Amino acid sequence: MRCCAAPMPRCTWPSAPAATASPPMAAERRSPGAPRPEKTCPVCQRPFQWRKKWERDWDRVVYCSDACRRGTPRGRAG
């Protein structure tokens, strides 16, 4: 419910021309780069790749997830 009867102002942003092609997606612009290091989880035996989150601790990372670290890997009912 509005407090006054004045009409809402229209947006004054200039619209983009319709003939302009959209820029390529980020994945298309990014070069593949070097392959990431990979380890195998000792609990679920699945391979997992290096993540930015583990940059400083990659040498100490052993498990692929918190679930495997606790000993209850994905897929196991429990």
Side-chain angles (χ1 to χ4, degrees), residues 1-76:
M1 178 176 230
R2 292 189 6 211
C3 63
C4 60
M8 295 292 290
R10 291 184 54 116
C11 179
T12 58
W13 284 89
S15 60
T20 308
S22 64
M25 295 180 68
E28 294 172 1
R29 285 183 284 182
R30 183 172 42 97
S31 62
R36 295 178 177 171
E38 195 171 273
K39 291 184 178 183
T40 302
C41 177
V43 176
C44 65
Q45 300 301 312
R46 293 181 186 172
F48 62 98
Q49 291 184 340
W50 177 92
R51 292 168 57 183
K52 179 74 172 171
K53 175 180 175 179
W54 296 328
E55 186 172 22
R56 285 181 268 151
D57 302 318
W58 179 246
D59 294 333
R60 297 186 331 210
V61 172
V62 177
Y63 304 104
C64 66
S65 65
D66 288 337
C68 284
R69 186 174 46 80
R70 288 189 302 262
T72 56
R74 299 173 292 234
R76 185 194 298 176

